[in-house]
């Protein structure tokens, strides 16, 4: 078996989009979505049925504290009791409630931005990692640069249902063939500029068993070998119902998230994690329609390398 370093370097060279859209590019694979694509995607809306693909941002969420990733802390600044007691200082009986939240930006449903992962000290498009992301944040590819662009044709590939009878086991590596077989079974074609949602069923299991090791533990996910498919199809983004998109444990003993190491800094691909695809998947299975309009705009936190998102699919 090829060693990890060799495989990662080869995939990085083979699947590279570096320089493809010029030296100043900050959009990566979002360049694949055209305005005409969005017009066509809007025509997919026939029923008006909308599905949120986001988990709650809750103190009872999936995080276990790894690398200081904690669940959200929600605190009220003003409450109804304050209003009842009239101690808010407003005239004529008006009162209100206000609140604040503290959380890692990738603690629940989110996009990984292009400044999130580096390869040998290089960020997307060949830039120096230390030049791109400093203590001030991401000065080049901060998530705010794509705040209005992650919209278009969504495609659900329910691999968990087609290949795994609903759920895939932990450690199951989804290959290109699994993706092709799923698309064929569903009668759908993945096209340039698509936002592809891959359901494994891992979140479904977490719902029934508890969070456990959902965040960072063993999981089904995309195989490292799918990098060529991710690059060749020219999709704009891919999202899964797992903590980290790719299969865990990773397929190389001495690598950490090797698909990320190629997909983000070399392909320029946006990766979505911890998306809730279950309700959408049930509807797609019922009516046989696995394409939809998808709005997945990240919260535009200036300089952020990832951001929360409430993706909404409309059929």
């Amino acid at each position: 078996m090829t060693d990890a370093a060799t495989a990662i370097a080869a995939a990085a060279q083979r699947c590279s989009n570096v320089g493809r859209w010029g030296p100043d590019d900050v959009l990566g694979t979002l360049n694949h979505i055209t305005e005409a694509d969005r017009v066509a995607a809007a025509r997919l809306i026939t029923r008006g049925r909308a599905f949120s693909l986001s988990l709650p941002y809750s103190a009872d969420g999936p995080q276990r504290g790894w690398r200081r990733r904690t669940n959200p802390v929600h605190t009220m600044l003003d409450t109804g009791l304050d209003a009842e007691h009239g101690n808010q200082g407003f005239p004529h009986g008006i009162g209100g409630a206000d609140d604040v939240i503290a959380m890692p930006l990738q603690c629940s449903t989110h996009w990984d931005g292009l400044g999130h992962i580096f390869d040998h000290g290089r960020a997307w498009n060949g830039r120096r990692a230390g030049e791109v992301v400093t203590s001030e944040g991401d000065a080049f590819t901060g998530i705010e640069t794509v705040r209005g662009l992650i919209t278009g044709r969504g495609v659900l590939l329910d691999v968990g249902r087609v290949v795994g009878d609903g759920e895939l086991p932990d450690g199951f590596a989804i290959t290109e063939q699994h993706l092709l077989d799923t698309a064929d079974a569903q009668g759908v074609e993945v096209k340039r500029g698509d936002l592809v949602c891959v359901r494994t069923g891992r979140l479904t299991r977490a719902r029934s068993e508890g969070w456990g090791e959902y965040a960072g533990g063993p999981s089904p996910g995309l195989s490292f070998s799918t990098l060529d498919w991710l690059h060749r199809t020219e999709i704009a983004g891919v999202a899964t119902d797992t903590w980290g998109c790719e299969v865990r444990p990773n397929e190389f003993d001495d690598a950490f998230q090797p698909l990320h190491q190629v997909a983000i800094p070399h392909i320029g691909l946006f990766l979505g994690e911890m998306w809730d695809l279950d309700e959408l998947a049930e509807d797609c299975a019922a009516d046989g329609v696995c394409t939809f309009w998808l709005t997945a705009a990240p919260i535009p936190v200036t300089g952020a390398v990832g951001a929360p998102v409430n993706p909404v699919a409309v059929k």
Side-chain angles (χ1 to χ4, degrees), residues 61-71 104 215 243:
Q63 297 300 328
R64 297 184 293 158
W66 178 78
R67 295 188 68 81
R68 298 183 296 280
R69 281 193 184 179
T70 58
N71 292 310
W243 170 86

Side-chain angles (χ1 to χ4, degrees), residues 31 46 148 156 264 312:
N31 284 288
T46 59
L156 175 71
I264 293 178
V312 176

Side-chain angles (χ1 to χ4, degrees), residues 17-250:
N17 283 329
V18 172
R20 179 174 181 173
W21 297 288
D24 298 326
D25 181 69
V26 296
L27 303 182
T29 53
L30 293 184
N31 284 288
H32 291 317
I33 307 179
T34 68
E35 292 179 350
D37 291 333
R38 294 192 178 97
V39 172
R43 297 193 182 105
L44 295 172
I45 301 175
T46 59
R47 295 162 51 205
R49 178 78 187 276
F51 303 86
S52 169
L53 310 183
S54 179
L55 291 172
Y57 292 84
S58 167
D60 298 322
Q63 297 300 328
R64 297 184 293 158
W66 178 78
R67 295 188 68 81
R68 298 183 296 280
R69 281 193 184 179
T70 58
N71 292 310
V73 177
H74 177 222
T75 304
M76 297 308 301
L77 301 178
D78 281 289
T79 71
L81 288 174
D82 295 316
E84 287 179 5
H85 293 143
N87 61 8
Q88 293 179 311
F90 300 127
H92 311 304
I94 187 172
D98 211 349
D99 45 7
V100 64
I101 192 167
M103 67 180 188
L105 296 182
Q106 296 173 335
C107 67
S108 189
T109 306
H110 68 273
W111 282 115
D112 284 349
L114 296 186
H116 178 51
I117 296 292
F118 314 121
D119 181 25
H120 290 82
R122 291 287 168 175
W124 161 243
N125 223 23
R127 300 181 179 96
R128 285 183 46 243
E131 179 186 21
V132 173
V133 183
T134 69
S135 60
E136 301 282 318
D138 185 338
F140 289 83
T141 48
I143 204 72
E144 76 279 3
T145 61
V146 299
R147 60 189 179 275
L149 299 179
I150 312 183
T151 58
R153 182 180 186 253
V155 177
L156 175 71
L157 295 182
D158 193 350
V159 184
R161 186 181 302 269
V162 172
V163 177
D165 195 29
E167 300 175 18
L168 299 175
D170 290 337
F172 186 98
I174 299 170
T175 65
E176 176 179 338
Q177 194 59 54
H178 291 132
L179 296 172
L180 294 175
D181 290 346
T182 299
D184 183 63
Q186 295 179 171
V188 69
E189 178 186 1
V190 174
K191 300 179 180 179
R192 181 181 187 271
D194 282 347
L195 297 163
V196 178
C197 302
V198 178
R199 180 184 172 275
T200 71
R202 180 64 183 90
L203 178 60
T204 310
R205 189 161 70 254
R207 282 198 165 101
S208 63
E209 298 177 355
W211 288 120
E213 293 189 314
Y214 175 83
S219 175
L222 295 175
S223 168
F224 181 80
S225 65
T226 60
L227 283 165
D228 294 272
W229 183 86
L230 295 169
H231 178 249
R232 185 176 67 254
T233 53
E234 297 186 329
I235 62 173
V238 63
T240 74
D241 57 350
T242 71
W243 170 86
C245 273
E246 56 191 289
V247 62
R248 292 184 58 78
N250 298 140

